[in-house]
């Protein structure tokens, strides 16, 4: 806390899950105060200055409940058109993800739908998904491109992502994922397509549409050498990188992300011990995506023990996308992370707050601490573990972004 006695907003009566310390950093019967969107008081209600309530611009009496940092969904593909429910049926009938992709389904089916949609249509289709995440506690959202696969449609996706942030009043970080799949017009010419991606990136960045750069480094995606070329272009533009790494095989993707000081390596089911050590040295976050693991009925677990042993932060995200992770709740992903990956509820919550913020290069949120953003979520629960315990349900009583209720 500090000596400030005047607040724009003052929230009273809830238990605080600050995550600033061990055992959730719990403060019972707590108080949060903020000014200009930044927390200026975090502590027991009894420690507030005597005149705090009378000087506050707004006083919010919660009458119980719990407050956590607002959730951060650090890996999503929420901007898309159409759906791929038919592929869900095909997988249940025995078709593999690779088989569907190689037959012209998968990412390319969504590409066709995105290309056919206008910017307004794409915004209208995508908004309900982002709004669902907000209702479930998310105030910071990463949104990737990657379903346009040409300049105009990648640009359209990134513009829609920016509009979503403005419409909802939350933070949206945009990630350029031009190297997501090979579009049909470049069939058999993957290197030529990477040339095109490298040409688009500076142009999109100049328009203020790109916060980070990603690629799909996989046998059905792009090779490490091709990914390296994209990353070198990003580095020349001083843009951070992230990577879809080691999801279906070990091509050294996580190690490549670490070599470039990547914000994160995502999926990481097949990441080897050497790559884990490289991630630890570079500060690269491991983003766990249990929704895709669940929907694809995968069995290869990420190297969780190695991540813990080497101190690699583990984030949790929805991977919300139309094909392999139609997940519209970050709490659901947290629950799946506990069930499939054996994370503790506290690990899962930290993974969807402080570690997820780090995976986006954001160090001003994810913990309830004086000096950080007043991004918080109020929950109708009796203990923090319930955030992972319940499968679905309407637990959120409110979400604040920089002190503004959304």
């Amino acid at each position: 806390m500090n000596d400030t006695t005047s607040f724009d907003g003052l929230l009273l009566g809830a238990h605080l899950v600050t995550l600033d310390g061990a055992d959730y950093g719990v403060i019972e019967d707590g108080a949060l105060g903020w000014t200009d969107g930044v927390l200026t008081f975090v502590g027991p209600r009894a420690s507030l200055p005597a005149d705090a309530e009378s000087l506050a611009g707004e006083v919010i009496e919660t009458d119980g409940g719990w407050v956590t940092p607002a959730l951060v969904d650090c890996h999503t593909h929420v901007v898309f058109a159409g759906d791929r429910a038919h592929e869900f049926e095909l997988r249940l009938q025995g078709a593999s993800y690779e088989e569907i992709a190689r037959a012209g389904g998968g990412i390319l089916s969504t590409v066709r739908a995105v290309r056919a949609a206008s910017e307004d249509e794409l915004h209208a289709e995508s908004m309900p998904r982002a709004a669902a995440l907000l209702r479930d506690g998310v105030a910071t959202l990463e949104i990737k491109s990657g379903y346009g696969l040409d300049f105009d449609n990648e640009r359209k996706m990134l513009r829609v992502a920016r509009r979503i942030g403005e419409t909802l009043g939350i933070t949206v970080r945009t990630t350029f994922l031009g190297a997501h799949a090979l579009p049909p017009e470049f069939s058999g010419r993957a290197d030529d397509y990477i040339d095109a991606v490298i040409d688009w990136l500076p142009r999109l960045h100049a328009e203020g549409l790109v916060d980070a750069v990603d690629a799909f480094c996989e046998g059905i995606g792009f090779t490490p050498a091709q990914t390296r070329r994209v990353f070198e272009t990003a580095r020349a533009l001083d843009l951070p990188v992230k990577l879809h790494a080691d999801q279906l095989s070990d091509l050294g993707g996580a190690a490549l992300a670490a070599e470039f000081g990547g914000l994160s390596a995502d999926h990481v089911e097949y990441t080897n011990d050497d790559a884990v050590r490289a991630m630890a040295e570079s500060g690269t976050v491991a983003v766990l995506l249990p929704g895709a693991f669940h929907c694809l009925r995968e069995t290869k677990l990420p190297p969780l023990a190695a991540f813990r042993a080497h101190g690699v932060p583990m984030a949790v995200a929805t991977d919300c996308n139309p094909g392999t992770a139609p997940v519209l709740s970050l709490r659901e992903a947290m629950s799946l992370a506990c069930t499939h990956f054996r994370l503790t509820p506290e690990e899962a919550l930290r993974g969807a707050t402080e570690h997820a913020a780090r995976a986006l290069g954001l160090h001003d949120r994810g913990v309830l601490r004086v000096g950080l953003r007043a991004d918080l979520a109020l929950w109708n629960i009796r203990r923090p573990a319930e955030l992972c315990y319940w499968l679905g349900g309407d637990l959120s009583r409110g979400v604040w972004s920089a002190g503004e209720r959304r």
Side-chain angles (χ1 to χ4, degrees), residues 201-234:
L201 177 52
R203 297 159 63 189
L204 295 168
H205 179 46
E207 292 188 34
L209 293 175
V210 181
D211 296 320
V213 176
D214 195 353
F216 184 29
C217 185
E218 193 54 73
I220 59 172
F222 296 93
T223 67
Q226 291 162 344
T227 302
R228 178 180 293 276
R229 293 178 59 205
V230 175
F231 280 8
E232 287 171 345
T233 303

Side-chain angles (χ1 to χ4, degrees), residues 134-256:
L134 169 60
R135 286 194 302 272
D136 203 43
V138 172
T140 300
L141 183 62
E142 187 253 20
I143 301 177
K144 302 180 190 294
S145 67
Y147 294 131
L149 306 188
D150 63 26
F151 178 79
D152 289 339
N153 286 291
E154 288 290 295
R155 180 176 182 267
K156 177 174 69 180
M157 290 188 68
L158 293 167
R159 284 171 55 87
V160 167
R162 287 280 191 244
R163 284 177 63 184
I164 286 172
E166 294 164 2
T167 303
L168 294 179
I170 63 175
T171 300
V172 168
R173 302 292 284 180
T174 55
T175 298
F176 174 59
L177 182 56
H180 195 197
L182 191 63
E185 61 269 26
F186 280 89
S187 179
R189 298 188 295 124
D191 286 331
D192 290 342
Y193 179 65
I194 293 298
D195 287 341
V197 168
I198 288 170
D199 176 65
W200 304 335
L201 177 52
R203 297 159 63 189
L204 295 168
H205 179 46
E207 292 188 34
L209 293 175
V210 181
D211 296 320
V213 176
D214 195 353
F216 184 29
C217 185
E218 193 54 73
I220 59 172
F222 296 93
T223 67
Q226 291 162 344
T227 302
R228 178 180 293 276
R229 293 178 59 205
V230 175
F231 280 8
E232 287 171 345
T233 303
R235 183 161 58 187
L237 295 169
D238 200 27
L239 283 169
V241 299
K242 306 164 65 67
L243 187 63
H244 284 64
D246 309 335
Q247 179 185 9
L248 305 172
S249 61
D250 183 7
L251 295 185
L256 180 63

Side-chain angles (χ1 to χ4, degrees), residues 8 20 32-33 71 92 156 198 201 230 269 285 321 357:
D8 293 339
D20 196 10
L32 289 173
L71 304 184
L92 292 176
K156 177 174 69 180
I198 288 170
L201 177 52
V230 175
E269 280 91 334
V285 176
N321 74 70

Side-chain angles (χ1 to χ4, degrees), residues 72 74 315 351-366:
V72 177
C74 65
T353 52
E354 60 175 324
H355 298 326
R358 180 172 172 178
L360 296 179
L362 299 173
H363 302 282
D364 63 346
R365 68 199 71 193

Side-chain angles (χ1 to χ4, degrees), residues 28 36 41 45 67 75 111 127 135 140 150 277 292 301 318 329 394:
E28 297 189 359
D36 295 329
F41 183 94
R45 181 173 185 167
V67 173
H75 181 130
V111 171
M127 267 293 297
R135 286 194 302 272
T140 300
D150 63 26
R277 285 190 287 271
L301 292 170
T318 62
S329 164
D394 185 13

Side-chain angles (χ1 to χ4, degrees), residues 7 64 74 82 104 108 112 124 148 151 196 210 215 235 271 354 368 383 403:
F7 306 100
C74 65
L108 292 182
R112 291 190 290 271
F151 178 79
V210 181
R235 183 161 58 187
T271 297
E354 60 175 324
L368 299 180
R383 55 186 57 84

